[in-house]
Amino acid sequence: MADFITQDSALPFGKHLAANEKKTRDKAVRSLRTYLSSGPELSHVDLLKLWKGLFYCFWMSDKPLVQQALANDLGSLVLAMPPSNAIPFLAAFWEVHCEQWYGLDRLRLDKYYLLFRRVIFFSFKFLAEQNWDMELVESYIDMLLEIPLHPTDRTKPDSIRYHIIDIYFGELVKVLDELRETLKDGDVLEIPMEELETPIRVTATDNINKVTRTKAKEAIRQYEESDAMEQDELQDSDEQATDGEEDEEDEEEESCEESQ
């Protein structure tokens, strides 16, 4: 486990990511964040070895609060690096976890599902921070369809596909809600929704597994219904605000007439 980084990478904390001591692992993760922020050029092999170390780092976290904090720390690593390194970093994450998945016992599945949720959330957050740069968005979509959501690769675990389908739109909405809270009056939130929906829509039509296709179709249906309800609520809110303004104007006019 300690030898999962190539010597060329020279990551001084590499062997500590899978250490037995929690303090040692925590320090290694902090060092990794600092290192990634410096923009090193890591090969695909280095990234795979790095994520294998992080896989075992997370594997050894055994308490719910510790798992939640570490999932957040690992998921948010993508925000700490130059944009050009982010998609290869995420690709290595999914590749390693698809490969390691069948070796996990049932007791550990839930905590890895939590990690997937945080990675999906911070992936969207990363794209949002890059103002939904289309080159990055398309690279991210292609990466998902080439690795965890590959429509015909039977070596990719269906349970990972199912979980991504289940959480994809929910995590996207969380990021969009955060963005809306920062908008000023009159600002419009422009998001490439058609492109962002592509991984689930392709899964709904092209996946060779009928169950997977059905789950993807249901996820799309639920998202569209929820989005339609939200739009109706926003429209009602705008109409109420407009009605309120008109009422105030009417009251002011009546008050002026009475005073005359």
Side-chain angles (χ1 to χ4, degrees):
M1 249 185 253
D3 193 26
F4 54 78
I5 298 294
T6 62
Q7 291 182 352
D8 290 340
S9 298
L11 301 185
F13 49 84
K15 65 182 180 180
H16 300 304
L17 287 172
N20 291 326
E21 293 290 331
K22 179 180 178 300
K23 289 182 178 180
T24 303
R25 298 196 304 271
D26 290 347
K27 184 177 180 180
V29 172
R30 291 194 297 270
S31 297
L32 174 61
R33 180 179 296 275
T34 301
Y35 180 78
L36 292 174
S37 68
S38 69
E41 292 187 8
L42 295 176
S43 69
H44 183 60
V45 172
D46 285 336
L47 288 171
L48 291 177
K49 291 183 177 183
L50 175 59
W51 267 116
K52 190 169 183 180
L54 290 170
F55 174 88
Y56 286 111
C57 179
F58 195 68
W59 184 86
M60 298 180 74
S61 61
D62 57 357
K63 296 180 180 179
L65 291 179
V66 172
Q67 293 166 9
Q68 291 172 21
L70 185 55
N72 204 63
D73 288 342
L74 298 186
S76 63
L77 285 174
V78 72
L79 304 180
M81 63 188 66
S84 59
N85 290 349
I87 305 303
F89 183 76
L90 292 170
F93 167 83
W94 288 112
E95 190 170 337
V96 165
H97 285 78
C98 285
E99 290 176 352
Q100 298 292 325
W101 189 251
Y102 295 115
L104 288 173
D105 57 79
R106 283 192 171 188
L107 296 176
R108 288 188 168 87
L109 294 183
D110 284 346
K111 73 176 183 180
Y112 279 93
Y113 285 141
L114 169 64
L115 177 59
F116 295 167
R117 181 181 292 275
R118 300 313 291 158
V119 167
I120 291 288
F121 172 82
F122 282 110
S123 297
F124 285 133
K125 196 171 181 67
F126 160 74
L127 294 174
E129 289 189 356
Q130 302 306 312
N131 295 314
W132 307 104
D133 177 87
M134 284 309 302
E135 184 175 349
L136 289 172
V137 170
E138 290 172 358
S139 295
Y140 179 66
I141 291 166
D142 290 344
M143 180 274 295
L144 288 179
L145 288 171
E146 288 171 3
I147 306 178
L149 293 179
H150 195 293
T152 61
D153 187 351
R154 295 183 182 276
T155 67
K156 300 299 186 291
D158 281 330
S159 51
I160 289 182
R161 290 190 179 101
Y162 297 161
H163 192 62
I164 293 175
I165 291 168
D166 288 343
I167 67 175
Y168 189 86
F169 289 117
E171 298 307 304
L172 174 58
V173 168
K174 289 178 184 177
V175 172
L176 298 184
D177 286 345
E178 286 187 0
L179 292 176
R180 290 189 181 99
E181 291 178 358
T182 66
L183 291 178
K184 299 178 181 178
D185 291 342
D187 287 349
V188 177
L189 191 60
E190 296 183 359
I191 297 103
M193 285 304 304
E194 183 176 349
E195 287 78 9
L196 291 172
E197 292 172 6
T198 298
I200 308 303
R201 293 194 179 278
V202 170
T203 300
T205 58
D206 294 359
N207 195 277
I208 58 176
N209 186 316
K210 183 178 180 180
V211 174
T212 305
R213 295 197 304 272
T214 300
K215 283 182 174 291
K217 291 174 184 176
E218 179 62 16
I220 293 168
R221 185 189 66 79
Q222 290 181 1
Y223 170 71
E224 290 177 341
E225 288 182 356
S226 176
D227 185 58
M229 290 178 60
E230 183 177 352
Q231 295 302 320
D232 289 342
E233 290 175 358
L234 288 173
Q235 184 175 351
D236 290 344
S237 177
D238 290 342
E239 289 176 354
Q240 290 175 4
T242 300
D243 291 343
E245 292 174 359
E246 292 176 351
D247 290 342
E248 289 180 3
E249 291 175 358
D250 291 341
E251 290 176 0
E252 289 178 0
E253 290 178 1
E254 291 177 359
S255 176
C256 289
E257 292 173 358
E258 291 175 357
S259 64
Q260 294 175 357

